[in-house]
Amino acid sequence: MRFPDLPLVILDTETTGFIPRVNRVIEFACVRMEHGKVVDEFEQLIAIPGEVPPVVSALTHIHATGLAGKPTMDGAREEILSHIGEDALIVGQNVSFDIGMLKGEGIDLSARAWIDTSMLASLVYPELESYSLGYISRVLKLRHDPVHRALGDVHATMELLGHTWERLLTITEDLEIPLRSIMDRAPEGYRRFFAALPKAETTDHPMWLMVPKPTPKSPKKKVAVPLEMPSAGTVELLEEPLSPHVLFHVIDEAVRNGGNHLIATKNLHATLRAFPVPRGVGIIHPPSRMLDHSAVEKFALQEIYTADEATLALKLAWYEPRLTDDLPLHGEERTIWQGKLACTVDSAPYREQFSDIPPVTLLSHWELLAIAADKTHPGQVLFKNAPHVIIDDASLLEDTATRAYGSALSIDNLRAAATGNTPLSAFTDLLQIWVEKTRRMQDLIYITSEHLDTQEAKGLRRQLVDLLGNTSLPRRTQELLKSVQAFFDNALLPDRITWIETRQNGSQFAESVPGRIGDLLQEHLFKRTPTTLLIPPGSATTLREILPTGTETHVQSLPQAEKMPLSFIPDMAMEHVILEPMGDKVVVLMGSRSRIEDIFVRYSELADRKGITLICQSMSGGLGRMQAEFLACSGPVVWVMTPWTFEGVELSAGVLDHLVIESLPFDHPSHAVLSKRAEHYRSAFGEYTLPRLQHRLYRLLRTFSLYQSGKGGVTFLDQRLDMKDYGKTTWAYLRSLTGTESAVNQEEVAMKPAPKPEEKKEVKKKEPKKKKKSSSAKGKSEAESQLSLFNGV
């Protein structure tokens, strides 16, 4: 394996948490390389005052007893520094975290040159589903033992660097030219790393750069879908079964029937990955997922790049994307995309989608509603001939309409947009100060007129006027500033729910949404054009938030799908669920992250000893990483997550053996929007909360039906299904959905644990099949090739 001819120190830490000076480093390891050879290896456990948090012990297998007698950081600092040295390039996986934690311990490497292997890997391994070290180690067969220990992570990181370097050695001259131009403007670590790359000699484009996208398959089972045009003023309600492919047949039937149809899906991205769209169907992509060519031109001329901006700039040059799906976005690159590069409704690539509209067009809930509500929107052409609007998964329409009619400003996106712009950076700093002063350490606070009448708020409004007058700002940045302006508009407060929220990962949002959305849907959609809503069976009278009193409706029902095995086992111990899983790939849904953390602490080491992989939300990385690791596991795997997360997973058909639902997934009682809407009902629980629960259960079962292997079923553990009247009603509803005649008790369920894991099978990388033109080939007449844009300033 080859490495750059540079002095390198690959390092990693294990810590008690994520906050420097608050949390502590409990293990450090590093390997030093010179001329491509290892010359030094070091690891050290570090004693700390107090206990090691249980979740950290479960993750790392480091316990307080293992730290007894080890040196404290004061005793180990000098030795650690001697192994790091003074001249080597710092290398690590998500290394900025390690640098921050070490600085908190008095080892300041912040001025040293560094490179992040996760970002480098994302440059040259577009076929990977995740860039977590655990997943990459499994796919590339890196030396990674012990997992989650510092030295094991260092060994894997070193090999990942070698694999990445070897792919970089295969680039051609036309790829090298933008690389040199971009990395000359990058931070020192990236300048040094890429300066060590030899001059390109090959003329054959690397195959890894041309990985074709997987082609989804058409569903095998046919579902007959009657698509009748509703009469004027009447909303057609089509009750759909649990079959996950109804939308495919709706689209197919719309093409066959002729006429104009707008078909809206809750998640356009997931829909396009799930099944092939029939030929001739138009697709309207949301602006946030599209690249603005004019923004790229400005970005290419930027004099200095941050590390993440540099890797993103190189991906724009190499992959020439049109959409976010066309390149391997990773880490903070997503924030930069949203802050600087994404289209707005005024961007040419987005507007071009409406220049030649076919009779059948597919788009997202959000896009449909945003277009319908804005009379100046270029997409108004879609409504020119009163098309038949069909909305899939309408049980989620309240949630998607809330977002479409509202505004949500990510402070992180605004800060990314402000990079390199002094006035905008100063404004973002003042906005952050106002947010902190207003929220007073609370995670969620509702905004009142008193908050918006402070001198600080008035000052921010004045600055906004000046900033929005700067027409040289990228359109995406202007759009973000307009969201701030709407948030601070006192006149909008009476009919809206407006709040500031700090989420668990520390990101902050300023949001404002309508108090009710039913009347807006009536005005913009139901009274304007024939509309059909695809809804869960039996829910026609419970969708009151989107179908307010007085809405004329007509109900039809599709035939129910095949029966789904359903069981209720209230006395099943969680130990049995985790350590004797009912299949090779099992998902367990739990109502809170604290409960999931408790499961991880209790069972992760036990599961590991039994050869069972335990993946837990918040303990095992983000959704993309968890999905990738779940699919890559060759032995038994149990994935524990919240129901809300499960609704958004994207797996492969036929991989999921069993679904276990521990507790009924009610909405959180303190939800910023739903708790306020519940106040409008005389009986909030029966009229609003319980119907939303049943709609969610339907969606959970349908998600399972999309990915089920046919080897198992769904098991509920919540005693309330038997002990409460609403539980019995809910259980009867579940049985009607799944075609189960009677509740299945413990004795009737085949409680077969997963077979013992055999020797682990090889997990093969996705191999490129053949050369394929860049997906951005369309529309190149409007903009230069992005490869040439980055060739030099």
Side-chain angles (χ1 to χ4, degrees), residues 90 114 141 199 245 307-308 337 355 361 372 406 418 455 457 495 501 503 572 588 650 702 734 775:
I90 304 296
W114 56 267
K141 298 180 183 159
K199 183 174 176 57
H245 301 301
D308 293 322
W337 178 288
S355 61
T361 302
Q455 289 303 313
D495 298 323
E501 183 176 4
R503 298 183 181 169
M572 178 184 282
V588 180
E650 294 181 32
R702 193 169 70 165
L734 290 167
S775 60

Side-chain angles (χ1 to χ4, degrees), residues 134-404:
Y135 170 75
I136 295 177
S137 297
R138 183 177 286 114
V139 173
L140 300 185
K141 298 180 183 159
L142 308 179
R143 175 190 174 192
H144 193 187
D145 58 273
V147 179
H148 295 305
R149 291 295 296 272
L151 189 58
D153 287 355
V154 166
H155 290 153
T157 301
M158 181 178 70
E159 292 199 1
L160 175 58
L161 180 67
H163 281 286
T164 300
W165 185 253
E166 289 184 337
R167 281 205 167 184
L168 285 169
L169 292 172
T170 67
I171 65 170
T172 55
E173 183 178 356
D174 63 329
L175 299 176
E176 181 188 3
I177 293 172
L179 181 149
R180 302 293 184 197
S181 171
I182 290 165
M183 292 306 164
D184 282 348
R185 292 172 271 165
E188 181 188 354
Y190 288 83
R191 288 202 307 272
R192 287 175 57 184
F193 178 78
F194 285 100
L197 190 67
K199 183 174 176 57
E201 296 179 353
T202 181
T203 57
D204 296 328
H205 264 241
M207 293 301 295
W208 53 261
L209 197 60
M210 297 173 283
V211 178
K213 292 182 180 179
T215 303
K217 297 179 180 179
S218 299
K220 294 180 180 179
K221 296 180 181 178
K222 175 72 176 176
V223 178
V225 180
L227 281 187
E228 299 178 7
M229 182 80 77
S231 57
T234 299
V235 178
E236 186 78 12
L237 302 180
L238 187 59
E239 295 185 334
E240 57 176 330
L242 289 176
S243 170
H245 301 301
V246 170
L247 178 60
F248 171 83
H249 298 294
V250 166
I251 298 170
D252 191 52
E253 191 66 23
V255 173
R256 292 172 182 272
N257 283 0
N260 293 324
H261 296 79
L262 293 181
I263 303 175
T265 177
K266 68 173 182 178
N267 187 332
L268 180 64
H269 170 74
T271 298
L272 296 177
R273 290 181 56 145
F275 52 75
V277 175
R279 183 173 297 178
V281 174
I283 299 171
I284 303 298
H285 295 282
S288 62
R289 298 189 76 93
M290 300 185 71
L291 187 65
D292 188 332
H293 299 309
S294 63
V296 175
E297 291 172 0
K298 291 180 180 179
F299 189 54
L301 296 173
Q302 204 167 291
E303 293 183 2
I304 298 174
Y305 289 127
T306 66
D308 293 322
E309 285 177 336
T311 55
L312 177 55
L314 189 52
K315 289 174 185 177
L316 294 177
W318 282 1
Y319 292 93
E320 301 189 279
R322 174 173 169 257
L323 303 167
T324 52
D325 293 347
D326 298 334
L327 78 169
L329 280 177
H330 180 56
E332 290 304 309
E333 292 174 341
R334 296 185 181 91
T335 302
I336 298 164
W337 178 288
Q338 294 302 329
K340 289 189 172 184
L341 301 171
C343 282
T344 69
V345 294
D346 295 320
S347 300
Y350 177 71
R351 297 174 75 92
E352 285 163 8
Q353 297 182 109
F354 304 103
S355 61
D356 185 17
I357 300 296
V360 179
T361 302
L362 184 64
L363 70 174
S364 69
H365 284 190
W366 190 96
E367 206 63 27
L368 171 74
L369 298 172
I371 293 170
D374 183 357
K375 300 300 182 184
T376 66
H377 197 288
Q380 283 291 321
V381 65
L382 294 173
F383 291 93
K384 186 176 180 180
N385 298 315
H388 181 190
V389 170
I390 304 167
I391 300 179
D392 175 51
D393 215 350
S395 67
L396 263 179
L397 188 55
E398 177 190 350
D399 297 4
T400 51
T402 296
R403 291 194 293 274

Side-chain angles (χ1 to χ4, degrees), residues 706-739:
L706 178 61
Y707 305 123
Q708 67 172 324
S709 64
K711 300 177 183 177
V714 182
T715 297
F716 285 84
L717 309 182
D718 197 326
Q719 295 182 351
R720 290 175 293 183
L721 288 171
D722 183 55
M723 298 178 66
K724 300 287 186 180
D725 288 341
Y726 69 79
K728 294 176 182 177
T729 301
T730 300
W731 182 242
Y733 174 71
L734 290 167
R735 297 210 312 269
S736 70
L737 286 179
T738 58

Side-chain angles (χ1 to χ4, degrees), residues 15-25 48-49 51 53 100-101 103-105:
T15 68
T16 61
F18 304 106
I19 305 173
R21 296 186 180 87
V22 174
N23 301 118
R24 305 298 302 273
V25 173
I48 59 171
E51 293 294 317
M101 293 302 298
K103 184 176 181 180
E105 298 283 7

